Amino acid sequence: MAALGSPLRTFRGLLRELRHASGRHYRETPAYRHIAAAFRAHRVTSQKLCRAQQELHFQAATYLCLLRSVREHAALHQEYHGKGERSPEEVAGLVGFRLPQQPGGKG
């Protein structure tokens, strides 16, 4: 299994993905409140040792991976999704070719 990194880095990554998904006011969303409360409840303090911290961190890292993947998929889909039928001139231009000109200026 790969190393998870620090919980703070995972928390910041989750907040970054929430900001991408929700816009400027991501701190007002229920998802932000839930994530912040979960990280606060499972932190290690001097009074107690939280056994579920590693479990929470693994779940958070998995959720972060999901959010990143969904965002990147949407960006790729938007960029490369077919835009319908294209003309032969447009297709030739996409691959870097030019169609030959017909004699007499007809094409």
Side-chain angles (χ1 to χ4, degrees), residues 6-33:
S6 83
L8 181 60
R9 188 174 190 168
T10 304
F11 181 69
R12 286 180 177 165
L14 282 170
L15 295 184
R16 189 177 312 113
E17 292 302 322
L18 277 177
R19 189 170 45 246
H20 283 295
S22 302
R24 293 183 66 185
H25 304 289
Y26 70 97
R27 290 180 183 251
E28 299 168 3
T29 62
Y32 172 80
R33 288 192 291 273

Side-chain angles (χ1 to χ4, degrees), residues 51-100:
R51 294 181 184 183
Q53 182 190 21
Q54 294 298 325
E55 181 182 346
L56 172 78
H57 188 199
F58 180 75
Q59 288 177 350
T62 304
Y63 188 58
L64 174 59
C65 180
L66 171 76
L67 289 175
R68 272 191 193 137
S69 298
V70 167
R71 180 175 52 87
E72 291 171 359
H73 170 74
L76 287 172
H77 183 74
Q78 182 179 5
E79 184 174 345
Y80 293 109
H81 184 67
K83 295 176 177 56
E85 191 69 29
R86 295 183 178 180
S87 69
E89 293 84 12
E90 207 175 346
V91 173
L94 285 174
V95 295
F97 294 122
R98 287 187 341 202
L99 291 179

Side-chain angles (χ1 to χ4, degrees), residues 7 11 32-45 47-54 56-57:
F11 181 69
Y32 172 80
R33 288 192 291 273
H34 174 73
I35 290 171
F39 269 86
R40 273 191 213 103
H42 290 85
R43 69 178 173 221
V44 176
T45 64
Q47 290 87 20
K48 67 174 184 169
L49 175 64
C50 179
R51 294 181 184 183
Q53 182 190 21
Q54 294 298 325
L56 172 78
H57 188 199

